[in-house]
Amino acid sequence: MKRLVISLSLALAVSMVSAGWCKDPAPQAKQLDKANVLPLALDDHFEFRKTKLFLNDPKTFTPTEDPMIIFERDRINFGAVTGVDRAARMGNYFTFFWRCSVKADVTIRLEYRQENLGAYVQAREISYTGAKGSMQTDFKIIGDDYRQDGRVTAWRALIIENGKIVGLTASNLWD
């Protein structure tokens, strides 16, 4: 009986993996050497729905009893045991919720400026093939990038399709 249960459990696990029930890892952002200028062709099929920003730096923390802020700090710092671990997680976290109503190959680009670099614009991108529906994209400017160049002072996020900007959202300080 035990062998039958073990065999069935193993068969179920193999079928779950082969059926694609295991979630693929999230796509990783790649740093661009230069943020090239793209033409603006806004399209109603693509839109940013919501933006979540979080700065994880103990120097900027203010005492709070807001459970949502406490939870977000704890979630980001979960597992950081040593000072080196905590320092590696310090920085800016961006989460963009966006939607496309047609199936398309798109790239989400975050362009940003940091306080120690002045007007110099940096960019990171994540590409999606066949994206349709509600999506979420996460970017992190953390660790050495944050410690050396400072916090992000201005940013904009773009949805790019076929080399054109079809969706856009930006901070108030972006010009």
Side-chain angles (χ1 to χ4, degrees), residues 24-89:
D24 292 335
Q28 295 297 314
K30 66 176 181 176
Q31 181 83 33
L32 299 180
D33 293 331
K34 184 176 187 228
N36 56 336
V37 178
L38 299 171
L40 187 63
L42 296 178
D43 186 344
D44 289 338
H45 292 105
F46 304 90
E47 67 177 320
F48 282 98
R49 306 285 296 187
K50 184 169 74 168
T51 302
K52 183 174 84 169
L53 310 172
F54 188 75
L55 176 61
N56 185 34
D57 189 344
K59 292 182 274 185
T60 64
F61 289 170
T62 55
T64 183
E65 294 192 22
D66 185 342
M68 289 183 284
I69 294 174
I70 293 169
F71 175 81
E72 192 68 14
R73 286 180 190 161
D74 291 345
R75 183 186 69 82
I76 287 174
N77 292 310
F78 180 78
V81 178
T82 66
V84 174
D85 293 340
R86 287 187 292 279
R89 295 176 189 199

Side-chain angles (χ1 to χ4, degrees), residues 98-109:
W98 53 280
R99 179 174 68 183
C100 56
S101 58
V102 294
K103 194 170 188 175
D105 296 339
V106 297
T107 299
I108 306 300
R109 179 188 290 178

